[in-house]
Amino acid sequence: MALAHYQQHLYNWLMRKSPVSAVRRIAELPIAMASDVGLVRSENQDRAAILRLKLTECHSSVVVVLCDGMGGMSDGAECASLAIAAFLSSNVQNANLSLQDRILISVKNANDAIFSKYTGNGGATLSAFIVDNQYGILGVNVGDSRIYSIANSNLSQITVDDTMAGQYPQENENIPGRHDLLQYVGMGQGIQPHIVTFPNDSEIQNILLTSDGMHFLNKQTMESVIKNASDSALAIRRLIELAKWCGGHDNASGIIVSNLSSLLMPKPNTNFGNIEIWDAFGEVQFISNQNSLEGAFKPEIKSEVKVSKDKKTKTMSKRTPINKETQIGKEAIPMKKRNVKNADSDQAKEKKPVPQLEIDFNAH
């Protein structure tokens, strides 16, 4: 039941009303992320999130995941949100397992969660990786969202698209359906996740995750943008804007993890046992009174909180005291609402995190 509670709560949070575009740096982590609805779609069906688990005093794990709801099928945004909610909840529940077991079980749970609701008529791509400061790095991919490594500003795609074009790039480009997905999260039986190993190269410091609304851009153009940006937040923002300048035909989302080696360095953790999750629009934190997440982690939700947000007005449902756990959420203010004359130069100089509105879910 604990897993289902967390999964439902994360799903509700990911489905909250959000701005059409946001770019943000993740506090305390070398990560920047962005998502934009584009110029054609009426709804953003991309979802991307970062999970940090402080497992013990010196053991931490960061999970990075991006999902793209499948256009033309049922409820793309709902499927992408459910995929991430199930994937992250499963990572928490199985934090004591090996990286490969953890990641495969999490994909299975995401696939089962969507299939049980949509019976194959809804789905999402899923690209993700785990950085664990004791066990290393491991990734997974299903669909045509991508993971790139970045070394000296050179992009190298380390996932293979689950399409005919991705599997057989040498075939005739005029073959119908070359870009249709061969598999997706939510298809049910037969799913075969691709385990992604990362090159053992000290020069590879950065990782990029993209939805197809971003990586339809020419690879050399993406490399040039990254090379000439002063930091990762500026790079991901410029990639989003460039995708829109080139038509913005689809939702565009991306995550850049820079200085990857820093995530592998053991650091003393405070408040270990807590769970932190970020997306491009805000963050949420689960606070537990447990001493560790290792072993059988069985969190409990004592009450359900719903937040609706309409322009400047917030409404919250009545809450009962939460004795064992509390939850804190922060919403990012969209960058486009800030008064800036030159967005690129100001963003490059910016040292403070994206301004946030804090919403405290802890009942007193």
Side-chain angles (χ1 to χ4, degrees):
M1 290 300 294
L3 178 62
H5 277 300
Y6 267 88
Q7 179 176 304
Q8 183 61 47
H9 193 74
L10 285 176
Y11 171 82
N12 292 342
W13 181 72
L14 289 163
M15 284 298 297
R16 71 200 188 282
K17 185 177 180 180
S18 301
V20 296
S21 181
V23 181
R24 71 178 311 199
R25 297 178 178 89
I26 305 303
E28 302 179 18
L29 294 175
I31 299 175
M33 63 194 309
S35 188
D36 192 288
V37 70
L39 302 178
V40 176
R41 307 287 190 186
S42 60
E43 178 187 44
N44 193 343
Q45 297 186 347
D46 288 356
R47 294 294 186 272
I50 313 297
L51 166 71
R52 178 165 67 177
L53 303 175
K54 296 180 178 180
L55 297 160
T56 65
E57 187 174 358
C58 295
H59 184 194
S60 62
S61 184
V62 174
V63 183
V64 181
V65 57
L66 185 150
C67 292
D68 181 358
M70 295 178 60
M73 299 186 75
S74 297
D75 303 335
E78 288 83 350
C79 290
S81 297
L82 185 53
I84 287 186
F87 185 83
L88 294 184
S89 299
S90 182
N91 264 279
V92 173
Q93 187 78 7
N94 298 291
N96 59 315
L97 300 180
S98 68
L99 290 186
Q100 180 157 322
D101 287 344
R102 193 192 313 177
I103 215 164
L104 289 176
I105 290 172
S106 297
V107 172
K108 179 183 182 302
N109 287 343
N111 180 58
D112 291 346
I114 298 176
F115 185 80
S116 66
K117 185 173 182 179
Y118 294 100
T119 60
N121 294 313
T125 69
L126 188 148
S127 297
F129 66 93
I130 302 174
V131 184
D132 189 288
N133 66 8
Q134 289 192 9
Y135 300 114
I137 309 173
L138 193 68
V140 69
N141 189 69
V142 178
D144 63 353
S145 296
R146 293 177 179 175
I147 304 176
Y148 294 88
S149 63
I150 309 174
N152 299 320
S153 300
N154 296 317
L155 281 178
S156 297
Q157 183 181 344
I158 57 176
T159 55
V160 177
D161 296 350
D162 274 322
T163 62
M164 291 293 292
Q167 301 288 334
Y168 306 100
Q170 71 280 3
E171 297 295 330
N172 191 324
E173 293 187 0
N174 295 322
I175 297 176
R178 288 185 77 247
H179 297 285
D180 293 346
L181 290 183
L182 300 176
Q183 65 170 351
Y184 55 90
V185 176
M187 64 183 286
Q189 293 184 355
I191 190 170
Q192 297 181 350
H194 305 289
I195 292 295
V196 180
T197 57
F198 289 77
N200 185 18
D201 188 337
S202 60
E203 293 183 355
I204 296 176
Q205 287 293 305
N206 304 332
I207 300 295
L208 171 66
L209 277 72
T210 61
S211 66
D212 58 357
M214 179 180 290
H215 63 239
F216 80 93
L217 296 169
N218 180 277
K219 177 185 173 183
Q220 287 71 31
T221 301
M222 293 173 65
E223 288 178 337
S224 180
V225 169
I226 294 169
K227 180 179 180 179
N228 290 286
S230 58
D231 62 29
S232 58
L234 188 56
I236 202 70
R237 181 179 186 179
R238 287 178 174 175
L239 288 171
I240 289 283
E241 292 301 322
L242 184 58
K244 293 169 69 175
W245 290 341
C246 293
H249 66 278
D250 201 354
N251 311 141
S253 298
I255 305 172
I256 293 181
V257 180
S258 56
N259 194 17
L260 189 63
S261 60
S262 68
L263 294 178
L264 293 169
M265 296 175 60
K267 298 177 182 178
N269 293 323
T270 58
N271 299 321
F272 51 91
N274 293 348
I275 304 166
E276 300 164 287
I277 301 173
W278 295 266
D279 69 3
F281 308 101
E283 64 185 87
V284 66
Q285 184 177 44
F286 296 96
I287 301 174
S288 173
N289 63 2
Q290 293 187 206
N291 292 328
S292 170
L293 284 176
E294 286 193 332
F297 178 69
K298 297 180 179 180
E300 298 177 7
I301 298 293
K302 296 297 184 181
S303 68
E304 186 172 328
V305 181
K306 296 182 179 179
V307 177
S308 62
K309 188 174 179 182
D310 183 14
K311 294 182 179 179
K312 296 183 179 180
T313 303
K314 304 191 300 292
T315 61
M316 293 187 182
S317 63
K318 294 182 179 180
R319 293 156 289 178
T320 57
I322 304 176
N323 297 322
K324 189 170 183 179
E325 293 188 314
T326 60
Q327 176 191 343
I328 298 173
K330 295 181 180 179
E331 299 300 322
I333 298 175
M335 296 186 68
K336 67 175 185 177
K337 291 185 178 180
R338 287 181 287 160
N339 184 20
V340 292
K341 295 180 180 179
N342 187 323
D344 278 356
S345 61
D346 283 359
Q347 180 71 7
K349 295 177 182 178
E350 185 183 23
K351 295 183 180 180
K352 296 181 180 180
V354 177
Q356 296 176 338
L357 172 65
E358 182 171 327
I359 302 174
D360 191 349
F361 288 78
N362 186 20
H364 296 285

